[in-house]
Amino acid sequence: MWRTIDAPLRTLRARPSLSSPIFSPSTVRPILSQAHHPHLLPSQPRTSFSFHRTLICFRTAAIPSLKSIPYDFDFNLGSLVVRCISSFSSSAHTLEWNDDVSCYGNNGSVEEDTKPSIPVRAYFFSTSVDLRGLVEQNKLNFIPPTSRMTNYVVFKFGDLSVSNGLGAVCLSGRDCCYMVVFQYGSIVLFNVPEHEVDGFLKIVQKHASGLLPEMRKDEYEVREKPSLNTWMQGGLDYIMLQYLNIDGIRTIGSVLGQSIALDYYVRQVDGMVAEFTDINREMETTGKFKMQRKKLFQLVGKANSNLADVILKLGLFERYDIAWKDAKYAQIWEYLRDEFELTQRFASLDFKLKFVEHNIRFLQEILQNRKSDFLEWLIIALIGAEILLSLYDIVHRSAMNL
């Protein structure tokens, strides 16, 4: 028995560079255990292992004979266990580790550990989009909604083949791409190359109103990993899923669309805060307030409209319908909201709006006091004029009597 396993052990000791995590005790133990069973390991004395071309991986469920082995192999059913299929050569005394690794699942197809990442780009360049007209001109690419949400539409372009029964859209490495358009002006593109973005934006621009002088942009990534132990896993500027389907695109697109639009409104409020700061500094320096009443009313309208757009149009506090129905998408929705800090950013926006509201009320009081002072002086002038007219009339009558 020890002669049978002597060659593999000598080979492993002879190559200290192979101390990678793959050669853990749980990996070597199956090789040692195979020595107890001549039908699993050909008995060729003094022969070492040599890996050629590929390392092939099988799931234990595909090898039922391993379940009957009485020795401890430290594996769980359904987990991926590496079995080294190698050729035996009397002239090979070293272990070669230079070739690619391919893993095969139960269906015999190649299962990559992590597929190429899917780029996600969010844009905000208008405050309103006519979704009905947009759908009318792009009926062939329109995907019918599956929920009651009516403030967005989804379009698909290119190769739309599906790889499995889970509804995955298989964007990795394909020409297929998706576009999510929201009524409040956000556009989220999935798997669209950088040089093709302008073409998709022009499709929406024909039905957009309230175009902004500067377009807002944000980027994100989605990675697919079928062997992921959990449904999803977050990372730095990316989210990893077992697979991406239409509901996942809708969920991710909704959060990114709200985030990029919220960024625009935050900058709008920041501009108002900066303007009021300059007014306060000028009042501090000169002791005078020079803003016109019309300008102040414009700031009041701008602040109120921004708050209404954030709450009503963006639906920032409305739970997504798909997230209500399925806990998997609720997990994505909640994670992305935390990742993009939507609640914290709205709290900051609300605090700034309260600062603006406080300044508006203060300046309105100043303008009201200024108007009251004007009216008071006007009344005084009228009373004075009346007194002068009365005195003139008395003097005139006295002169007539003389």
Side-chain angles (χ1 to χ4, degrees):
M1 177 185 69
W2 291 108
R3 176 175 298 183
T4 306
I5 66 174
D6 181 58
L9 290 178
R10 289 203 319 166
T11 304
L12 294 177
R13 289 196 301 267
R15 294 297 300 268
S17 63
L18 295 176
S19 58
S20 60
I22 194 170
F23 284 94
S24 60
S26 61
T27 307
V28 177
R29 191 180 295 113
I31 300 176
L32 300 181
S33 301
Q34 287 177 356
H36 296 275
H37 302 273
H39 65 280
L40 295 178
L41 181 66
S43 59
Q44 296 186 6
R46 315 303 297 176
T47 301
S48 61
F49 290 99
S50 175
F51 283 78
H52 292 281
R53 305 309 303 171
T54 57
L55 174 67
I56 304 177
C57 305
F58 295 89
R59 294 187 183 275
T60 54
I63 311 177
S65 61
L66 293 179
K67 298 179 182 178
S68 60
I69 298 176
Y71 295 92
D72 180 16
F73 275 75
D74 288 343
F75 63 83
N76 296 323
L77 294 179
S79 63
L80 190 61
V81 180
V82 177
R83 292 292 180 267
C84 304
I85 310 300
S86 61
S87 61
F88 297 89
S89 173
S90 59
S91 61
H93 297 283
T94 59
L95 184 64
E96 300 296 337
W97 191 260
N98 298 323
D99 295 324
D100 297 333
V101 177
S102 299
C103 296
Y104 290 81
N106 293 338
N107 56 2
S109 61
V110 176
E111 182 183 41
E112 298 177 355
D113 185 38
T114 303
K115 297 181 179 180
S117 61
I118 301 169
V120 184
R121 297 180 174 91
Y123 299 89
F124 188 79
F125 64 87
S126 68
T127 56
S128 179
V129 177
D130 180 15
L131 299 182
R132 181 174 299 179
L134 182 63
V135 172
E136 285 294 328
Q137 291 191 3
N138 299 273
K139 289 183 178 180
L140 297 179
N141 304 101
F142 174 65
I143 300 178
T146 58
S147 64
R148 296 173 297 176
M149 300 293 289
T150 58
N151 68 332
Y152 75 95
V153 290
V154 183
F155 299 94
K156 55 184 177 180
F157 303 88
D159 184 12
L160 307 174
S161 59
V162 177
S163 65
N164 53 35
L166 300 175
V169 296
C170 292
L171 296 181
S172 302
R174 293 179 178 266
D175 296 331
C176 175
C177 54
Y178 285 75
M179 179 173 66
V180 187
V181 184
F182 295 88
Q183 188 272 334
Y184 52 79
S186 291
I187 303 171
V188 184
L189 303 176
F190 287 80
N191 203 39
V192 176
E194 184 70 25
H195 63 278
E196 297 180 5
V197 169
D198 291 340
F200 286 91
L201 296 182
K202 289 180 180 179
I203 296 175
V204 183
Q205 190 173 2
K206 299 177 182 178
H207 306 275
S209 59
L211 297 177
L212 306 179
E214 182 182 0
M215 181 175 62
R216 309 300 308 168
K217 177 183 177 182
D218 196 7
E219 294 185 354
Y220 200 63
E221 277 188 10
V222 177
R223 301 179 184 177
E224 291 181 296
K225 186 177 182 181
S227 60
L228 193 64
N229 294 329
T230 59
W231 160 242
M232 58 145 289
Q233 178 179 333
L236 183 61
D237 291 333
Y238 74 88
I239 184 172
M240 185 175 294
L241 306 175
Q242 290 180 353
Y243 61 89
L244 178 66
N245 59 8
I246 301 298
D247 287 339
I249 288 176
R250 290 190 175 102
T251 305
I252 296 173
S254 68
V255 179
L256 266 66
Q258 290 176 341
S259 176
I260 193 66
L262 183 61
D263 182 65
Y264 164 76
Y265 291 111
V266 168
R267 291 180 180 272
Q268 290 285 85
V269 175
D270 287 342
M272 287 188 288
V273 170
E275 191 168 355
F276 280 110
T277 302
D278 294 337
I279 294 173
N280 292 328
R281 292 189 183 279
E282 184 179 358
M283 292 175 60
E284 179 184 3
T285 304
T286 63
K288 297 180 180 180
F289 173 59
K290 300 179 181 180
M291 177 179 285
Q292 297 180 355
R293 192 177 188 89
K294 180 180 179 181
K295 178 65 175 178
L296 183 62
F297 284 160
Q298 288 177 343
L299 289 175
V300 172
K302 188 176 181 179
N304 292 335
S305 63
N306 284 336
L307 183 61
D309 288 343
V310 171
I311 295 177
L312 300 178
K313 285 187 178 181
L314 269 64
L316 207 58
F317 298 101
E318 298 178 6
R319 190 173 180 86
Y320 202 57
D321 280 5
I322 298 176
W324 275 109
K325 297 177 182 179
D326 197 323
K328 294 189 300 184
Y329 303 106
Q331 186 180 3
I332 297 176
W333 186 76
E334 292 173 356
Y335 169 77
L336 290 178
R337 284 180 62 89
D338 292 338
E339 177 73 11
F340 288 93
E341 300 179 346
L342 293 186
T343 304
Q344 295 85 343
R345 289 162 62 189
F346 176 79
S348 176
L349 176 69
D350 186 52
F351 177 79
K352 294 174 183 178
L353 285 174
K354 288 181 179 179
F355 171 79
V356 171
E357 181 183 358
H358 173 74
N359 282 269
I360 288 174
R361 186 181 298 111
F362 172 71
L363 297 179
Q364 279 182 334
E365 291 178 358
I366 293 177
L367 291 177
Q368 186 66 32
N369 292 334
R370 183 183 295 177
K371 184 177 181 179
S372 299
D373 293 341
F374 172 76
L375 292 176
E376 289 176 0
W377 282 109
L378 180 61
I379 293 172
I380 292 172
L382 291 175
I383 294 174
E386 185 178 0
I387 293 174
L388 291 175
L389 289 174
S390 299
L391 291 175
Y392 174 77
D393 185 56
I394 294 173
V395 172
H396 181 68
R397 289 181 180 179
S398 298
M400 291 291 293
N401 293 329
L402 293 175

